Amino acid sequence: MHVVATAGHVDHGKSTLVRALTGMEPDRWAEEKRRGMTIDLGFAWTTLSTGETVTFVDVPGHHRFVPNMLAGVGPVPAVMLVIAADDGWNRQTQEHVEALSAFGVRDGLLVVTRADLGDGNLAVEEARDRLAHTPLAALEAVVTSAPTGVGLSELRGALGHLTARLPSPAPTPRTRLWVDRVFTVRGAGTVVTGTLGRGGLGRDDELLLWSRGERVRVRQVQSLGQNVERTDAVARVAVNLRGTPRDGIRRGDALVAPGWWAGTREFDARVDWLADCRASHLILHVGSAAVPVRIRRLGEGTARIRAERDMPLDVGERALLRDPGQQRIVAGLVILDLEPPPLTRRGAAARRHADLAARPDLPDAAAEIARRGAVRRTALTRSGQLAPDAPPPRGTLGFAEWCVDAHWWRERTARLAEAVRARAAARPDTPALPHETALRASGLVDGALLSTAADELGFVQDRAGVREASTRTERIGRVEVALDTVCTRLRADPFDAPGRPELDALGLTPFHLRGAANRGRLCRLDRSIYVHPEAVPLALARLAQLPQPFTLSAGRQVLGTSRRVAVPLFELLDRLGHTKATENGLRHVVPRDAEAPG
C-alpha cells in the first residue's frame, strides 16, 4: 500500500477528484456534504492496473481548517497537489506547499482539475513557476476534468509511476502510529486511525499509549476496510484497542512499541524561517500532533524548542512551526539533538549554535558517537540513529551497552594509565586509585567502561580501587579463571553460548573473547556470540542426520540451541561452504566431495 495526501486551495476539486479515482466518498460528515467543502480528514483508496493500492488522505483546503490539514499531511510520504484550471494558484495552495516542504515531502503529482472550465496548460505553467524554488519543483503534471473524465486514465498511470519510485521503509521494531481519528464502534470499543509511518502492527500486539504512559492491547487491525493479522508501514490502519476508553485518547496522540522510544520535551533543531516572526510561543506540528512550544533562538537558523509535553521523536525528523496569532506557517525544522546540554554559562548559546550548524540533517550515529565520545546503544536506538541489531559504526568500538569513539577511547585509557601510575608513585603504601577518582581523572563516563579500560591495561580492580598488577600471574589470573568457566560450560553443551550479561558478570570483555578465539579456545560466531571451538564439525555431524533440506527450526532443535546462536552459526556454515540455502528458505548439508576447496 502507498499513502498519498491531497493538498490545495478550498473548492479546487480535491474530493471530487478522489471520488472519481476511487468511487468512494471521502467526506464523512453531514456538514461537509451540505456545504460541499471538506472540514476534516477524509480517506479513500483504489487499486491501480499495476496491482498497487493507493490510499488517499483528503485534507481540507479552507484556511480555517489548516490544523486539520497538517494532521493529515504530516505522516505521509507523497502528495497530490491539486489546482483548479479556472482559479489557479491561491493563498492556501501556497500555505500547503510550505507545509509539505517543511514536512520533507519531496515527491508526488501536480494535478490540474476543472480543465473543462479553464486553460489547464496555463495553470500548469503558473504552478511550475511557483514551485520552481521548492522541493516539489519536479512534480509530474496531469491535466484532468472529473465530470468529463478527461485525463483520469493518464492520472492513474502517473500514480503508477509514483508508487513505483516511492521507497519502502526499512523494517524496524520501532513502531509509531500518530492518531488522527478516535471513535467508538458498538460491540468493539475504541478505534483509532492513522497513517502507520514506521514499524508494523498486528493483532494482540502490545503498544504504549504515549500521552498516558499506559500499555494497551490491539484487539484487531483493519486496513482498507478489511481485518488483517498484520500490516507494515506505510499504511492507513484502523486499530481496535481492547479495554481502552475513548476519552483517554485524542488526535495527535501516538501508539508506539514499548521500550523503543525515549520521550523528549526539549530539543535543538535547525530552523528554516519562512516568515518574519518574533513570537516565542508557537505551535509545533509533527505527525498528527499540534503542541504549544516555546522557542529560544540560538543563532541564525538554530533554536532550542521546549514543548508543553513529552513526545516520541527522532533525530532527523521534520516538523513545522505555526503562529496561531498570524494563522500562518512560519518555519520548518529538522530535529538535531534530543538530549541538548544546559545553556548556563555566558556564550553557551553561541557555542551551541556553532555546534548545531555543523551537523547534518540526517541522523549519523558515527558522528554522534564522535561528538560525545561514548553513547549508550539504547540512546542511539531510541533516537532512530542506529538499528537495534546493527554493529557499531565504522571507527567506533562496542563495549556491552556502550558505543565509543576509537580516538576517544585511546585518549581515555591513556589518562587512566597515567592517573593510576601517578597514584602508585605518590602513595606506594595505598597504590589503588579510588573508583570515583579514576572516573574523574580518565573522563570515562561509566563504571563498566572503567572496568573494560582497566582490563585492557592489565590493571587490577578491587574494593580499594584501580591499581597496577604486582605480577603477571595476578594480571591474567582472573581472566583465565573466567575463560575456564565458559569453556567448561561449552564442553557440556557446545552451542550454549553465554549471553552478554553473563560475560559482563564474569568480567570478560570483547578484547578477552577475541583473544581466546584467536588462541583456539572459543569459536566466534558474532561480535558477542562464542561457542565451543569444535562447533563447526559438531554441528555438521548432527545436521547431517536430519532429512535434507531442513528448516532453521529443525536445525536449531537438533543442535539444542536458540535462534540467537543458530542464525549466525548457519551463516558461518554457509560461508564455509558446508551448507547451502535453497530458494524457499531451507538449507541442506553439502556433501564432502562437493565442498569448495579449503
Side-chain angles (χ1 to χ4, degrees):
M1 182 196 303
H2 299 276
V3 182
V4 177
T6 65
H9 194 69
V10 62
D11 199 30
H12 273 208
K14 297 186 293 296
S15 299
T16 302
L17 186 64
V18 170
R19 278 193 293 272
L21 287 169
T22 66
M24 302 174 67
E25 175 59 68
D27 291 339
R28 298 177 293 110
W29 308 111
E31 180 70 3
E32 293 178 318
K33 296 181 176 67
R34 184 182 68 80
R35 298 169 65 177
M37 179 177 69
T38 300
I39 297 172
D40 206 345
L41 302 175
F43 310 99
W45 56 87
T46 186
T47 300
L48 304 174
S49 59
T50 60
E52 295 285 350
T53 299
V54 179
T55 298
F56 296 99
V57 181
D58 189 30
V59 306
H62 198 282
H63 72 90
R64 289 169 52 196
F65 306 115
V66 167
N68 292 350
M69 181 277 293
L70 297 176
V73 302
V76 303
V79 64
M80 192 162 67
L81 180 62
V82 178
I83 299 173
D86 60 335
D87 197 17
W89 195 275
N90 269 280
R91 171 187 170 181
Q92 291 313 121
T93 313
Q94 181 65 36
E95 187 163 17
H96 286 198
V97 168
E98 291 175 355
L100 292 163
S101 300
F103 275 134
V105 178
R106 299 291 184 265
D107 209 345
L109 299 174
L110 170 63
V111 183
V112 172
T113 57
R114 302 215 292 252
D116 54 321
L117 302 178
D119 188 336
N121 293 326
L122 187 62
V124 170
E125 290 181 13
E126 180 189 16
R128 290 281 188 222
D129 291 340
R130 299 276 191 167
L131 294 171
H133 301 292
T134 74
L136 301 173
L139 294 186
E140 180 181 355
V142 183
V143 178
T144 68
S145 170
T148 65
V150 170
L152 291 183
S153 61
E154 289 81 357
L155 177 55
R156 294 180 73 86
L159 285 168
H161 301 154
L162 172 63
T163 58
R165 64 177 178 264
L166 286 177
S168 299
T172 174
R174 302 180 70 247
T175 297
R176 183 181 64 183
L177 174 71
W178 289 108
V179 175
D180 54 38
R181 286 176 58 203
V182 185
F183 53 92
T184 302
V185 175
R186 181 173 297 178
T190 300
V191 175
V192 303
T193 69
T195 300
L196 180 63
R198 65 185 63 196
L201 278 174
R203 190 160 59 90
D204 292 328
D205 279 0
E206 185 179 64
L207 300 172
L208 183 69
L209 177 58
W210 189 264
S211 63
R212 303 180 64 170
E214 296 178 359
R215 299 205 175 201
V216 296
R217 181 72 64 178
V218 175
R219 183 177 184 178
Q220 187 57 265
V221 179
Q222 275 198 357
S223 183
L224 306 182
Q226 301 294 322
N227 290 339
V228 295
E229 284 295 314
R230 186 165 190 85
T231 188
D232 295 313
V234 174
R236 282 295 306 177
V237 295
V239 184
N240 181 202
L241 299 176
R242 183 178 289 123
T244 304
R246 174 182 173 178
D247 57 8
I249 313 176
R250 61 183 182 273
R251 171 177 288 175
D253 209 337
L255 292 170
V256 303
W260 289 105
W261 293 86
T264 184
R265 179 173 295 184
E266 189 173 59
F267 58 88
D268 288 346
R270 190 184 331 279
V271 183
D272 180 17
W273 295 100
L274 305 174
D276 184 24
C277 177
R278 299 301 170 189
S280 59
H281 290 79
L282 301 171
I283 303 297
L284 175 75
H285 290 269
V286 56
S288 63
V291 182
V293 295
R294 183 179 179 86
I295 309 297
R296 177 179 176 180
R297 301 191 188 212
L298 303 174
E300 187 64 33
T302 61
R304 174 153 299 180
I305 299 173
R306 182 170 179 80
E308 188 179 75
R309 65 174 188 265
D310 281 356
M311 292 178 289
L313 302 176
D314 267 348
V315 171
E317 188 158 18
R318 292 182 176 270
L320 59 84
L321 297 170
R322 192 166 187 267
D323 188 336
Q326 297 182 28
Q327 293 191 346
R328 65 170 299 181
I329 297 166
V330 295
L333 62 87
V334 180
I335 298 172
L336 298 180
D337 195 339
L338 297 174
E339 298 180 354
L343 302 174
T344 54
R345 297 184 178 181
R346 184 185 298 274
R351 290 190 295 272
R352 184 61 174 162
H353 165 72
D355 176 22
L356 295 171
R359 296 194 192 186
D361 287 353
L362 295 177
D364 185 339
E368 181 70 4
I369 295 167
R371 184 180 67 83
R372 295 169 58 181
V375 188
R376 290 185 188 275
R377 172 178 281 275
T378 53
L380 294 170
T381 300
R382 290 179 177 179
S383 65
Q385 295 174 277
L386 189 68
D389 298 324
R394 184 182 298 275
T396 67
L397 306 172
F399 297 129
E401 61 177 319
W402 290 90
C403 292
V404 302
D405 178 69
H407 175 75
W408 180 91
W409 180 251
R410 289 192 297 270
E411 185 179 81
R412 286 340 185 250
T413 52
R415 288 187 192 177
L416 177 63
E418 182 180 355
V420 169
R421 288 164 184 152
R423 167 78 181 207
R427 302 180 64 175
D429 54 332
T430 55
L433 185 67
H435 292 98
E436 290 299 323
T437 307
L439 284 170
R440 287 196 303 271
S442 64
L444 295 164
V445 295
D446 183 76
L449 292 177
L450 176 64
S451 298
T452 302
D455 285 341
E456 285 198 6
L457 291 167
F459 291 167
V460 173
Q461 287 190 89
D462 52 29
R463 297 180 64 180
V466 184
R467 60 183 173 84
E468 287 190 282
S470 57
T471 65
R472 183 175 183 277
T473 302
E474 185 181 33
R475 242 186 348 262
I476 66 174
R478 183 183 58 80
V479 172
E480 290 303 313
V481 168
L483 286 173
D484 285 343
T485 301
V486 172
C487 292
T488 300
R489 168 201 184 127
L490 293 174
R491 280 195 293 272
D493 190 342
F495 306 104
D496 185 20
R500 186 70 260 175
E502 183 178 350
L503 294 172
D504 291 342
L506 290 169
L508 292 174
T509 68
F511 175 80
H512 299 138
L513 295 166
R514 287 195 299 270
N518 291 338
R519 298 193 305 271
R521 298 195 66 187
L522 298 172
C523 174
R524 183 173 185 261
L525 301 182
D526 200 352
R527 62 181 184 276
S528 62
I529 301 177
Y530 290 81
V531 293
H532 193 278
E534 296 297 318
V536 169
L538 290 172
L540 288 174
R542 295 188 190 181
L543 294 173
Q545 299 172 8
L546 290 173
Q548 307 290 317
F550 55 88
T551 64
L552 172 64
S553 177
R556 180 180 63 79
Q557 291 176 16
V558 77
L559 297 179
T561 190
S562 65
R563 183 183 179 87
R564 176 181 71 92
V565 176
V567 169
L569 174 59
F570 289 166
E571 290 175 349
L572 173 62
L573 294 175
D574 288 349
R575 290 195 302 272
L576 294 174
H578 297 316
T579 57
K580 185 174 182 180
T582 62
E583 292 182 357
N584 57 3
L586 302 179
R587 188 175 267 103
H588 64 84
V589 176
V590 177
R592 282 187 177 276
D593 56 357
E595 289 182 10

